[in-house]
Amino acid sequence: MFTSMACTKELEEINVNPNTPTYVSPDPLFTTIQMWSSGQESVRRGSIGFCMMFVQQTASTKTDDLQGDKYLQSDNAGTFFSTEYSSLAKNIEAVMSDVKKDPVNINKYAMIRIWRVLVMHQLTDLYGSVPYSQAGKGFTENIYSPAYDDQQAIYTDMLKELEEAAASFDDSKPTFGPADVVYQGKIQQWKRLAYSLMLRLGMRLTKVDAAAAETWVKKAIAGGVMEGNEDICLLPHEGPNQDQSNPISYSFYKFNLVELGDIKISKTFLDFLQQSADPRIPAYMSLPDGNSAPANQKGLPNGLDANSFANYPGGNNLSTYSTFNVTKILPLSAPTFMLTYAEVELMLAEAAVRHWTAGDAATLYKNAVTASMQQQSLYGVTIDNNAINTYLQTGKPFPATGTDAQLRVINEQYWVATFMNGIESYANWRRSGYPVLTPVNYPGNATSGVIPRRLTYPSGEYSANGKNLKDAVAKQGADSYTTRVWWDK
């Protein structure tokens, strides 16, 4: 009998396939979650093809793809939703459910809670009501049709999560260490990320609930936000494999976008930068041949298609128009910025203008612009102090008086500083109203010529999770580009 049992045990071990494990350690899974958060394939359509085109940082002559340039209805608007839930939500839930079981993992639990907010706030900012409380629980709780949470409830919980996570760190307990590719497990920087995210989410509430916005902004400042560019939340890339590459760069090379000329710098954005002699031009853009001289850059107007571009008086050769800098931003090893110190200082400057902090708005604005320009060294572009000071004095100085004028220049800088993070540029434009943009009115567009206020859900969700989605639409409003999310009311 014992011999029989021993043989059975050996057979069970032999028949375990090592290539299909039933358990993955949270550390490598956390690394995967962080790297996938850079967007992968969905970033070309979600961040660039819609968000950056909505706020006129980029432009395109295409109508069958990159529909955000002309506000055309397309299921591509749901690509970001589909990708984030299929790749990230379930893995985040797997790590959370694993590490929270053991009190020794309190720091790991805090980190994944903070990262979950970083991922989920992008989804709700783009779509409004989304699966949140039940997201990713198919494996852990057998929930295969998650309910949609309304955005107000999501924001309430995300802010609570950040507050609790930041307060729970314990210096005596282990972290993810080198598996954390952003901060290598450094607790103090994770706290600053949590409070900087709290600041971002708090500022998001300024239109819908100014009192709550002020409360959370003050909490974030008291907790301690980013203190310098060394605190930037960025994802490093190496290449050449897709999972190791900058996802924007990978898409450009995979689809030959530089040569085809599908994605160009918007004339609106370039004109703004050139009018103030912005030193970031050589970092952000170049001609397809790599020429990054500011005087040679040329922006493409939004709203042109192949026919109208053929007769465009500014020239009908796409190779003469600027794209992302091919030697600085488009290498496979270029970093992805998730939240920067420059953004934090701009939000603090706005808080000062609103009298929510005792800080000096002009000084905070100067810190922000300086940080954004120095940040370009991470792309391999050095902007010297003389150029920074000249810009602050004569390019885009901070207005001495006038609340509206001060809010305008702060949020115009936010638009510039978040270039390449289209989701954040688009969210802050909806919140602040700056920069003031002139929409396009391309024939057959889905908004009657107004800039969209959200993205639409993927069509497949109506069959996969139809009842919950329809319930969400009934509460939020039509699943259209013009329906505003809760904080954008």
Side-chain angles (χ1 to χ4, degrees), residues 341-343 345-346 363-373:
Y341 171 60
E343 294 172 57
E345 289 294 289
L346 286 168
T363 300
L364 293 164
Y365 174 83
K366 177 181 178 181
N367 293 344
V369 172
T370 301
S372 177
M373 294 195 180

Side-chain angles (χ1 to χ4, degrees), residues 248-268:
I248 292 175
S249 306
Y250 189 85
S251 288
F252 263 77
Y253 290 114
K254 178 179 180 180
F255 297 104
N256 199 23
L257 299 182
V258 171
E259 184 175 333
L260 294 175
D262 288 355
I263 297 172
K264 294 296 183 180
I265 301 298
S266 168
K267 185 176 187 299
T268 303

